[in-house]
Amino acid sequence: MSISKSTQYGNINIAIDAIANLAGGVVTECYGVVGMASQKVFKDGLAEILKKENYSRGVIVSADEGKLNLDVYIIVSHGVKISEIVNEVQKKVKYELEKNLDLEVENINIYVQGVKSIK
């Protein structure tokens, strides 16, 4: 699946996985984020930290009338205010996607899958 965009020079198709990988890269650069998590939590309540090549498993992208909706699954650092982390992630992802892809972002839902202590 992809998102199509028309310009004066022709048509552009942006793959959903490309959007998810871009968003995942932005998320991992945010302060307080330990890593991306899979949307599925293991049965014992632990979340898996995803590697760079699997960011698309931690970001669900849907498009509705040219507007993007994202569900982002993250693991945060212990000792940092979760509401601040979430707010920062939403702002950075929205800014980067709108700047780089010229697409409007309608919703960014953040799901904290775990808290990890960093030593």
Side-chain angles (χ1 to χ4, degrees):
M1 190 171 137
S2 64
I3 296 174
S4 297
K5 186 174 176 137
S6 295
T7 66
Q8 64 186 21
Y9 303 111
N11 295 325
I12 301 170
N13 291 321
I14 304 169
I16 295 294
D17 282 345
I19 296 170
N21 282 326
L22 177 61
V26 171
V27 168
T28 57
E29 294 174 1
C30 291
Y31 176 75
V33 175
V34 173
M36 297 293 300
S38 176
Q39 59 185 334
K40 296 180 175 70
V41 177
F42 295 131
K43 57 185 165 191
D44 57 355
L46 297 174
E48 170 191 13
I49 295 179
L50 299 175
K51 299 202 183 313
K52 193 173 195 172
E53 59 272 2
N54 293 327
Y55 284 163
S56 60
R57 287 181 34 211
V59 179
I60 309 301
V61 180
S62 61
D64 185 31
E65 297 175 10
K67 296 180 182 178
L68 295 176
N69 295 303
L70 282 81
D71 293 333
V72 180
Y73 297 85
I74 62 173
I75 298 174
V76 297
S77 176
H78 177 52
V80 182
K81 195 171 181 183
I82 294 175
S83 62
E84 292 297 323
I85 296 170
V86 169
N87 188 28
E88 186 66 23
V89 168
Q90 287 175 324
K91 286 193 303 186
K92 273 187 122 172
V93 169
K94 180 178 173 63
Y95 173 76
E96 288 294 330
L97 290 179
E98 288 181 347
K99 181 182 92 168
N100 291 320
L101 302 177
D102 197 28
L103 295 170
E104 186 178 344
V105 177
E106 187 172 31
N107 293 319
I108 301 174
N109 302 311
I110 309 292
Y111 298 95
V112 177
Q113 297 290 78
V115 177
K116 187 169 181 168
S117 177
I118 299 177
K119 294 181 180 182

